Amino acid sequence: MTALTAHAGRLRWALADGLTLIGRELSRVRREPGELIAALIFPAVMVVLFGYVFGSAISVPGGGDYREYLMPGLFAMVTFTATMAVTMRVATDASRGVMDRFRSMPMARSAVPFGQTGAEILNGVLGMAVMAAAGLLVGWRAHRGIGPTAEAFALLALMRYALSWAGCYLGLVVKNEQTADQLMPLVFPVTMLSNSFVPTGGMPKVLQVIADWNPVSALTAACRGLFGNPGAPAASRTGDLAWPVAHPVAATLGWAVVLLAIFVPLSVRTYRTRGR
């Protein structure tokens, strides 16, 4: 009982410290609003740019409006590119000695990565709200009702949270904001080699296999199905599709669990050991 009580006390301590650090990240956004404004404008620009530039040139499989086909892909793309925002923040704190200062303070060692990733969820909710509003303005709609729509946004939030842990680990390893900044463009090929913007059926076979097993494709297909948008995998064709695309919700949940299982302990351990 004593050991259990001590463990519960450590959890409460870590939670309290983590919430404090989430507040720190949010206060930093208030002091530097340009970062938040850029993060909110980017999704809206992507909707307008891709929706109207690509919209007249790409036909949707099975018919339908391209902007409705596109929006789930943009939601997925922004979810994955947000990984580098966490990497940048963590690397900046590490290079400026903020992490060393935290290590010298009487706080739970797991609080810093939990604070960084927790703040990213709040930023992500704002970003998704802005992107959804922009999508509604250009004609996108969620057709299957409140329940499936909420499930789609919950999947996006879960994947964003899981990816934020990968970004946190990368930032702790890099420990240099210039290097982190140079790594940011590497995320875009991952998001582009998927079904986000175009069907994968027209790709060369090797690229099609890679795209179908890309977690971006699973998240995109899951959102299309839950929103009721064009391009969702038809039940009659699931036998002809790669497993992640035929069962996108299960595949997305699986990717999120794997990412959390790998990067939560890695991030906490790296934060604890890098200051030694």
Side-chain angles (χ1 to χ4, degrees):
M1 182 64 69
T2 302
L4 184 61
T5 303
H7 183 64
R10 286 194 296 271
L11 286 177
R12 286 195 298 270
W13 179 32
L15 178 60
D17 288 344
L19 291 174
T20 299
L21 290 172
I22 290 175
R24 169 190 175 260
E25 291 300 321
L26 297 179
S27 66
R28 181 165 69 176
V29 170
R30 289 196 299 269
R31 292 193 303 272
E32 302 173 4
E35 180 181 342
L36 177 61
I37 292 171
L40 295 180
I41 290 177
F42 176 73
V45 170
M46 296 293 286
V47 171
V48 175
L49 179 64
F50 284 96
Y52 286 100
V53 173
F54 288 175
S56 59
I58 298 176
S59 60
V60 178
D65 182 74
Y66 179 73
R67 284 184 284 277
E68 288 214 333
Y69 174 85
L70 173 70
M71 280 303 300
L74 287 180
F75 279 124
M77 178 183 180
V78 171
T79 296
F80 275 76
T81 54
T83 305
M84 297 312 299
V86 182
T87 300
M88 191 68 182
R89 289 200 302 269
V90 173
T92 299
D93 281 350
S95 65
R96 296 179 180 179
V98 177
M99 293 295 184
D100 293 331
R101 186 179 305 172
F102 284 152
R103 290 188 186 95
S104 68
M105 297 173 67
M107 65 166 56
R109 289 292 181 258
S110 59
V112 171
F114 271 101
Q116 292 282 357
T117 55
E120 179 56 31
I121 281 294
L122 298 178
N123 292 335
V125 169
L126 286 174
M128 282 192 289
V130 170
M131 177 169 276
L136 291 171
L137 289 176
V138 301
W140 168 75
R141 296 292 184 271
H143 299 284
R144 294 192 56 199
I146 295 177
T149 300
E151 186 178 345
F153 282 116
L155 274 180
L156 289 164
L158 174 63
M159 182 59 80
R160 188 172 187 132
Y161 184 66
L163 288 165
S164 70
W165 279 99
C168 181
Y169 172 71
L170 186 58
L172 289 168
V173 171
V174 170
K175 295 198 302 184
N176 184 288
E177 54 190 301
Q178 287 77 26
T179 304
D181 187 54
Q182 293 171 359
L183 291 174
M184 293 184 72
L186 299 179
V187 178
F188 287 98
V190 176
T191 59
M192 298 296 288
L193 188 55
S194 67
N195 62 3
S196 297
F197 304 106
V198 296
T200 61
M203 297 180 182
K205 189 61 179 178
V206 174
L207 292 183
Q208 182 181 349
V209 171
I210 295 172
D212 286 343
W213 284 86
N214 187 340
V216 180
S217 293
L219 181 58
T220 300
C223 290
R224 283 181 181 140
L226 292 168
F227 289 141
N229 293 149
S236 60
R237 292 187 59 244
T238 54
D240 302 327
L241 301 173
W243 188 87
V245 181
H247 306 87
V249 174
T252 301
L253 291 173
W255 277 112
V257 169
V258 169
L259 287 168
L260 289 170
I262 293 173
F263 288 107
V264 170
L266 272 179
S267 298
V268 174
R269 186 177 65 183
T270 302
Y271 174 75
R272 287 173 174 169
T273 57
R274 282 293 166 123
R276 295 177 183 175

